Amino acid sequence: MAKNTALKATGLVSGAVLLGLLTVQGTYALWNAAVQAAEGSIQAAAFNVEMDGGIGTVMMAQPDGSQGTVALATTALGTVDAGKSVYAGVRLTNHTDAGGEFTVRASAGQANTGSLGGLLSVQQRAVSGSDLNACYDPSLYAGTATGHVDIPKHGSGVLCFEVSLAASASAEGQVSTISVPLTVEQIVEHKG
Amino acid sequence: MNKMAKGALATGVGVALLLGGGGTLATWNASADATAGSIVAGELNLVSTTGTWTNAAGVQIDLQNYKIVPGETIKYSQPLEIKLDGPELKATLTPDLNGSTDSFRGMATYDYSIKSAAGRELKGQILTQKDAGAATVTATVTLSKDAKNDMQKVAQDVSKIQYNLQQVIR
């Protein structure tokens, strides 16, 4: 009987010790110290490229994320006679808010010559700077084609177009809408 | 028994009790100081000073007014003072994101190193008293070249990030 009592007591003490250890485990007190690393936020830039066809400006990326469409000055394009050419251009300005370098490359894709189809041909050139008048010089299109222009942050470039109507064309009084897709993409040149 | 006799008897009993109660009277003893000195706890602490951000060109930037673009890496450098006082004190020093969300959705990569003044890499190490002193954290953030247009104008809050100097027992 005395032995049984001793065993019971031992068991009770062991249980209490075990319970005690388990209870304090969560508050095991080790020293620590913490400091804040930095303040503020890392912010990504916006891709703000403005298109100017001579009759108003349009942002290439619209606030709703859609693509912008710009009309080129009709005075520049005007009426084209058979065997003749007319000229137009679009000025692209890099208005990015990037903190560092942010150069973009602008180019024009294949023109869709609309209802006059193969009677119209479109040549495209790219020039640095912001002067649309550079596009109205026929000699620009005689030289080697420069398909793209690199535009640095806050800089401009111009994409020029020469539209020619075939000499054999009989399209008097007809109107054709020409659309040209423009592409502007970032040139990644940052060093890691 | 007259009153005189009763008084004399009471006085005699009182004296006897006084003599009998001297249980510690005149036994030998000695004492001495332990000379154990004081037990002094060590110290674990971490102090930071303002860090600086630089861009890929090495130019210092103000993060609040700086926008990054795909392919760009910016660097953060921050001096720390590590206090580890105690020969048996061991600790780790790690960044703690503190629940920061990844606003760049995997399009940004982060890396860091912690160098002691002696040039020892402390990242992933068990720090001891000999690592106490000045250290510098250098962290880089790179926005991937593959970041699409939907990453424009995204902001990643970094203010919750902390360095945590945590004692370890091993």
Side-chain angles (χ1 to χ4, degrees):
Chain A
M1 190 64 181
K3 186 178 179 182
N4 285 344
T5 303
L7 286 173
K8 286 177 184 174
T10 304
L12 187 63
V13 170
S14 299
V17 170
L18 182 61
L19 184 64
L21 285 174
L22 291 174
T23 303
V24 300
Q25 192 174 33
T27 57
Y28 196 46
L30 291 178
W31 291 347
N32 67 81
V35 292
Q36 186 179 15
E39 292 184 348
S41 299
I42 299 168
Q43 303 167 78
F47 192 92
N48 294 326
V49 176
E50 180 189 78
M51 302 182 291
D52 183 358
I55 53 171
T57 60
V58 176
M59 296 307 292
M60 204 159 195
Q62 296 295 291
D64 63 0
S66 63
Q67 296 178 342
T69 301
V70 65
L72 305 189
T74 52
T75 50
L77 271 173
T79 303
V80 59
D81 298 327
K84 301 290 185 181
S85 300
V86 291
Y87 305 94
V90 57
R91 180 191 303 114
L92 301 167
T93 303
N94 183 356
H95 286 301
T96 184
D97 58 357
E101 296 176 12
F102 189 74
T103 301
V104 296
R105 176 164 294 173
S107 60
Q110 185 69 39
N112 182 338
T113 48
S115 58
L116 289 178
L119 297 176
L120 289 173
S121 63
V122 178
Q123 280 205 82
Q124 182 257 318
R125 295 289 187 274
V127 295
S128 299
S130 59
D131 186 8
L132 282 175
N133 291 322
C135 297
Y136 309 145
D137 179 3
S139 65
L140 175 67
Y141 306 91
T144 306
T146 305
H148 64 260
V149 59
D150 292 346
I151 308 171
K153 184 168 70 172
H154 305 320
S156 296
V158 177
L159 295 176
C160 298
F161 305 97
E162 179 192 61
V163 181
S164 303
L165 183 60
S168 58
S170 177
E172 192 173 348
Q174 293 187 45
V175 176
S176 182
T177 300
I178 301 170
S179 60
V180 183
L182 306 181
T183 301
V184 178
E185 56 188 353
Q186 177 195 1
I187 301 174
V188 179
E189 54 188 19
H190 290 283
K191 300 175 181 70
Chain B
M1 195 177 288
N2 60 26
K3 287 184 179 176
M4 185 69 78
K6 286 180 181 174
L9 180 59
T11 302
V13 170
V15 170
L17 285 173
L18 282 174
L19 292 172
T24 59
L25 190 63
T27 55
W28 291 351
N29 66 79
S31 66
D33 293 336
T35 64
S38 301
I39 298 172
V40 181
E43 182 184 13
L44 178 151
N45 201 4
L46 187 62
V47 178
S48 67
T49 51
T50 305
T52 55
W53 288 92
T54 52
N55 66 8
V59 176
Q60 188 171 332
I61 60 174
D62 176 4
L63 193 65
Q64 297 308 306
N65 300 313
Y66 192 89
K67 310 290 176 59
I68 67 169
V69 298
E72 182 173 10
T73 297
I74 55 176
K75 185 184 292 184
Y76 185 63
S77 181
Q78 184 170 33
L80 297 177
E81 184 72 22
I82 300 170
K83 293 185 178 177
L84 287 173
D85 188 7
E88 294 301 318
L89 190 55
K90 298 179 176 65
T92 56
L93 179 57
T94 55
D96 183 354
L97 298 179
N98 245 338
S100 299
T101 55
D102 181 14
S103 300
F104 288 121
R105 301 193 294 277
M107 282 291 119
T109 54
Y110 305 86
D111 197 11
Y112 75 98
S113 71
I114 309 170
K115 291 283 180 66
S116 69
R120 180 180 181 235
E121 176 57 74
L122 304 181
K123 178 182 177 181
Q125 301 295 315
I126 301 297
L127 279 56
T128 62
Q129 191 170 254
K130 68 179 178 13
D131 297 310
T136 301
V137 174
T138 304
T140 58
V141 181
T142 302
L143 186 57
S144 171
K145 294 175 183 176
D146 297 326
K148 304 298 183 192
N149 282 342
D150 62 355
M151 285 294 114
Q152 292 180 47
K153 302 179 184 177
V154 168
Q156 171 67 57
D157 181 11
V158 294
S159 63
K160 293 180 181 175
I161 300 174
Q162 293 183 326
Y163 307 119
N164 193 12
L165 183 62
Q166 174 68 55
Q167 182 191 0
V168 292
I169 296 179
R170 294 181 185 172

